[in-house]
Amino acid sequence: MKYASVIVDVSSMQTDRAFDYKVPEDLQEFLSPGMRVIVPFGPRKVQGFVTEVKNHSEFDKLKPIIELLDLTPCLTPELLKVGQWLTNKTLCFKISAFQVMLPAAMKAKYEKAVRLISDDTTDLPGELQPYFHKTNQVNVKDLEEQIPLAEIQKLIKKGQLEFVYQVKQKTNKKTIKHIALNLSQTDIDQVIQTLPPHAKKQAEVLTFFKNRSITDIPLQQLLTEANISDASVKSLLSKKILKEEIKETYRDPYQDRSFKKTTPLLLNEEQQKAIDPILTSVVNKQHEVFLMYGVTGSGKTEVYLQSIEAVLQNGKEAIVLVPEISLTPQMVNRFKGRFGSKVAVLHSGLSKGEKYDEWRKIQRKEVQLVVGARSAIFAPFENLGMIIIDEEHESSYKQEENPRYHARDVAIYRAQLHNCPVVLGSATPTLESFARAHKGVYKLLTLRERVNNRSMPSVEIIDMREELRNGNRTMFSTSLLEKLTNRLEKGEQTVLFLNKRGYSSFVMCRDCGFVIQCPHCDISLTYHRYGQQLKCHYCGHEERMPKVCPECESEHIRFFGTGTQKVEEELVKVLPQARVVRMDVDTTSRKGSHEKLLSKFEKKEADILLGTQMIAKGLDFPDVTLVGVLTADTMLNLPDFRASEKTFQLLTQVSGRAGRHELPGEVVIQTYTPEHYSIQLAGQYDYDEFFKQEMLHRKHHAYPPYYFISLITISHPEITKVVSVAEKISQNLRRNLGKETKILGPVASPIPRIKDRYRYQCMVKYKRENNLHDTFKKIIEHFQQEMTSNDLTITIDLSPNTMM
Ligand code: ADP
Ligand code: ZN
Ligand code: ZN
């Protein structure tokens, strides 16, 4: 008898362990860890992951597995390990750790099917042959009645059939029309002779087949490449010289773009110095973490490309993570241009079906490289040779729901298992990473110069208080407006950036730029309309909203914020002749709209690209010679200890959009706090000095990288309940955690109510804390009952990115 340990798809504390099931006779031969099954669970049937197959179980009276969902494991042994690690690292349920590693389509409904690999059915067992006469793909359900699963499994192992899921979606399988020769290559000339003399085009079609020595080609490709009309093909079809064939294809979102093949560039000295240690680590199969700190345009991507090439030549695979918003067609082109069909692309713009198809290519080993957003870190490669994380400082690498993992941590863990290097790249590394590089935990690789010594665009910092004093009440400074007008005249393009995050929550004096801050925490206070209160969301400090500025006694003190739509209206007023493309959540919510807007700008059908965070990265347009940042301060004043760091990163990124090619670029940064070090130093491209100054602040206020932080958020519809639970939790933390550990709160969350639920939080700051995980687990256990029956939520984030 065989038994399987199964993690079931029921998210609760009590069910967060493996349950044993009997393995039915017909599955015993090939059930293996990493496969999904359907099992009985109480009165229900649920999905689960097999984690172990064994000969004994300590329990008796076990129920059998009902159904097998995979014929090949969807989680490799390594990914099962990663799942276990994720569970410990993020305190999530095992089931969510496994699920997060798979494409969403695999949670959706689907049917199992097998597909014939060769066209020949004669090798198949007799009873199977009839199923494949008309089609090359048959539902397993239909087969199962005739043939035992084990038989099918054998045929899969022999390579005659392959296992596929048919995702039950509207666009289930994607098919395309092919046109095929209905005669042999050698007969082509003879057939051309029989065509009537005026049918020149038809003859051309056949010659096309002959010259390329192909027997079939997608219809669309034939029409464009042979440069012929539909009509010629139709008449050849009606003469039965050609025939139509319907073929299944991957939903490849990039298929209709052609990729210009690129070859490795001759690296400059800095690039060569950076790549050498990476290549050494590839050759020696050595795990190492590199931090490639290189200014924008210093040729980091070229270093990635050539490192990957070495990995592929070694017969290994690579994962490249790029932030969701910079997964632009331009970015994808660079990888597809170098590695062609060896690349799979995974990002959230794809449909479930498309994502599943890309994942399948990885699972089947049809690709050796995946370029994707955060979740691509779980690509089921078994022979990883390198993981690259571009723009490693990007906050989108952290998942803000369970499991709350950071892709960087997963990358390092997987790379350790595979003995391969990790390359983190950025022009503005996180303080954590740069500090690690300084300590020698990561190996620092530096690219100081832009390729070809192209200069960084010059930056002008505009004091908006000054503008106000001079009577300019618009949101465009005199200088920015002048430069905008000048670009319109010259036919050059401008990117206008509005930093929208955190708007209207902080209070600022429009005359002197003073922002009211917490006396204990060095972060801005948040304005609460109700009661006209200002609050600190870290320590709970409260004060009344002042009537005049505490600094200069001006009455122009108010909370702050504007939207892109408002900017667009103003822009049209002052520059009626400008053609503006606006990109924000509103204009890009429809699938594909993001790309459409960008391509409009790229084709120069617009003069100004106006947008939020989503235009700050990755874009590379040769005619953009001006970048304007409308309000550099908004992020600076978020209740977040990383506010300065994020501001510096963003300003540096945005500035990098200008003057990337022949035309020199200019940047205008509008701000109410021109003296702030993150703005000054971003204007001077001085990351090193910024790092120094910011580290002092972090040290002084006990923040990362000097301390680790955990955040516990408690929410419930009743405020009294939230407060009392939060109190109990903070008491418990104070009792159980070390003396050196700092516990802040409880205090209302920066967003104190979401969807009618009140939110409170406690923050734990520690250097070394052996009891942390245990204490957190016990807290969750203690409140387990109330969490299931009383609508209480407690979330624990062991490396919070935002404090909201
Ligand atoms: P980064 O990723 O650091 O922003 P890129 O890799 O995008 O920089 O390089 C900027 C530009 O310089 C690109 O157009 C790239 O093709 C070009 N480039 C990079 N390396 C070289 C090189 N060794 N020789 C010539 N051009 C290069
Ligand atoms: Zn405070
Ligand atoms: Zn003031």
Side-chain angles (χ1 to χ4, degrees), residues 91-108:
L91 298 177
C92 70
F93 292 134
K94 295 183 176 68
I95 188 71
S96 18
F98 291 141
Q99 275 167 348
V100 78
M101 296 194 273
L102 295 175
M106 301 195 51
K107 267 175 94 179

Side-chain angles (χ1 to χ4, degrees), residues 490-541:
K490 288 199 288 195
E492 294 171 6
Q493 291 177 302
T494 301
V495 169
L496 270 190
F497 179 76
L498 179 72
N499 195 349
K500 229 189 133 223
R501 229 180 265 160
Y503 71 105
S504 85
S505 56
F506 68 98
V507 172
M508 187 176 72
C509 170
R510 287 200 63 174
D511 277 320
C512 75
F514 181 75
V515 172
I516 300 179
Q517 300 223 322
C518 175
H520 311 294
C521 299
D522 202 20
I523 52 154
S524 56
L525 293 177
T526 305
Y527 172 71
H528 289 250
R529 193 183 300 260
Y530 181 78
Q532 297 279 307
Q533 291 283 333
L534 299 176
K535 284 186 189 166
C536 170
H537 289 292
Y538 281 0
C539 72
H541 170 85

